[in-house]
Amino acid sequence: MVGIWKKAFRLRLFFLSVLLVSSCGSPTNGNQIPVEGKTRVVVTTTFIGDVVNNIAGDKADISVLLTAGQNPHSYQPAPMDMVAVSEADLILVNGFGLEDFLDDLLSGTDTQAEVIVVSEGITPLMMDEHLEDDDHGSEDSLDAVMGQDPHVWFDPNNVLIWAENITSALAGQDPENKAFYQANFDAYRGQLLELDVWIREQIEKIPKNQRELVTDHSTLGYFAQEYGLIPIGAVIPALTTEAETSGMELAELIDTIRDHLTKAIFIGVDFDPNLAQRVADETGVKLVPLYFGSLSDGEPAGTYLSFMRYNVSAIVEALH
Ligand SMILES: [Zn+2]
């Protein structure tokens, strides 16, 4: 499947290139017309976009490739993304394997942009992943491989590292405004630290023996590690929504939920709820929607800070 998908992706990129060539000379670039003199920053996720916004303010021209509600694990670039990337000065990405589409996107353009992995400096959580073994041909051969968990944004202390990396990257591109970026960083740092304290207070409301998480895929590892919760299972026990789950794994999850005091399965608002609903029906727990892969378009999770507050409130409400 992975191999076939990659081939399909390359084919798609080819068609995108054709589209781009045929749209050359068109004077409008939608909402991504570069503003003269400003650093043109392209970011992948809405989370990174929001942090850049907080630090750069109106001093940079920011394009966010994924829109609210788009799943980063299954994202396929649009023709506009190639335009944005080819015109960028700075490209900021999450890293740790989140942006599967990135290599093809970058090599499909002649971009001269500096590419920065904002998660640089974060210690990645590692997890067993069952990936298909492309080298040995068989579609059925599964190998356990340790994969890096890309969901670093569920810990505000990681997002603080992002903010540091973003501040240096912006100052590197635009040294004249270094003090401006640094002042914005200092203010945002304060908000992130406040958020961290608030989360600890909220988690205290959950009885200690109920601080356990079941999610749609393995998405809350960093959150659980930082705030003392235990991820006990996932509908898709993998770091991506694109992995498959077996009947045996689902049966194990149902047993696990029955053996624990778990009251909820947390699923991303953009996740297909069918499998999770089956597990919920079998075990009598409820499905609780959270924002996982992107911010919302406006309320209730339109900024990183409100995204975390929304999710944590929903988790506490469901578990306490
Ligand atoms: Zn995910």
Side-chain angles (χ1 to χ4, degrees):
M1 269 304 277
V2 171
I4 292 168
W5 186 83
K6 280 214 169 121
K7 268 167 226 147
F9 178 74
R10 275 187 212 113
L11 205 60
R12 196 181 152 94
L13 268 189
F14 170 76
F15 284 117
L16 291 184
S17 313
V18 171
L19 271 174
L20 275 181
V21 169
S22 57
S23 70
C24 264
S26 151
T28 52
N29 282 341
N31 56 357
Q32 291 172 334
I33 302 166
V35 180
E36 208 55 50
K38 289 190 182 183
T39 304
R40 288 164 298 188
V41 185
V42 169
V43 311
T44 51
T45 70
T46 51
F47 307 114
I48 304 173
D50 182 53
V51 178
V52 175
N53 227 347
N54 273 279
I55 293 163
D58 61 358
K59 299 261 189 269
D61 179 42
I62 306 165
S63 300
V64 185
L65 298 188
L66 279 79
T67 56
Q70 269 175 332
N71 176 351
H73 301 299
S74 59
Y75 184 69
Q76 300 204 356
M80 288 307 300
D81 296 347
M82 294 184 80
V83 177
V85 161
S86 65
E87 292 173 347
D89 300 309
L90 182 62
I91 299 174
L92 300 170
V93 307
N94 182 88
F96 293 173
L98 184 72
E99 295 100 339
D100 242 354
F101 58 89
L102 197 70
D103 286 349
D104 283 334
L105 180 59
L106 293 179
S107 61
T109 71
D110 55 356
T111 183
Q112 302 298 305
E114 181 186 10
V115 180
I116 302 271
V117 176
V118 296
S119 301
E120 184 78 48
I122 295 170
T123 307
L125 282 177
M126 305 299 286
M127 187 187 162
D128 272 342
E129 274 199 298
H130 294 286
L131 294 179
E132 268 163 290
D133 187 350
D134 268 353
D135 299 333
H136 296 91
S138 165
E139 292 258 320
D140 299 321
S141 64
L142 294 171
D143 272 0
V145 195
M146 293 301 273
Q148 294 179 325
D149 185 344
H151 306 93
V152 294
W153 57 89
F154 286 102
D155 179 354
N157 300 287
N158 289 342
V159 172
L160 180 57
I161 295 176
W162 281 12
E164 286 168 2
N165 289 334
I166 289 166
T167 304
S168 344
L170 287 168
Q173 288 286 332
D174 176 22
E176 270 180 34
N177 287 309
K178 190 176 175 184
F180 174 83
Y181 299 133
Q182 188 60 45
N184 286 345
F185 166 79
D186 291 341
Y188 194 57
R189 177 177 182 274
Q191 291 182 291
L192 290 173
L193 295 179
E194 243 172 61
L195 172 66
D196 176 69
V197 170
W198 179 82
I199 296 172
R200 285 176 211 287
E201 288 166 3
Q202 296 305 304
I203 298 302
E204 279 302 309
K205 296 180 182 173
I206 308 172
K208 282 209 167 67
N209 62 354
Q210 291 174 46
R211 293 181 193 171
E212 296 175 326
L213 297 167
V214 178
T215 46
D216 59 24
H217 67 297
S218 304
T219 187
L220 291 177
Y222 293 93
F223 178 76
Q225 172 180 259
E226 187 62 27
Y227 300 108
L229 294 97
I230 304 167
I232 58 169
V235 177
I236 297 175
L239 294 168
T240 168
T241 53
E242 303 309 282
E244 298 201 354
T245 195
S246 67
M248 203 206 282
E249 285 168 324
L250 276 184
E252 272 173 31
L253 178 62
I254 289 168
D255 284 346
T256 303
I257 291 173
R258 284 180 177 149
D259 289 347
H260 288 73
L261 294 165
T262 315
K263 296 173 184 166
I265 300 173
F266 299 102
I267 72 164
V269 291
D270 50 356
F271 187 79
D272 177 354
N274 279 334
L275 277 181
Q277 188 63 59
R278 269 168 53 191
V279 177
D281 290 345
E282 284 282 327
T283 55
V285 303
K286 56 182 180 272
L287 291 191
V288 177
L290 297 180
Y291 291 91
F292 281 155
S294 84
L295 301 175
S296 58
D297 186 12
E299 292 297 309
T303 65
Y304 173 70
L305 298 170
S306 65
F307 158 90
M308 286 303 288
R309 285 175 193 271
Y310 178 89
N311 284 337
V312 171
S313 299
I315 290 170
V316 172
E317 174 69 28
L319 297 185
H320 89 286

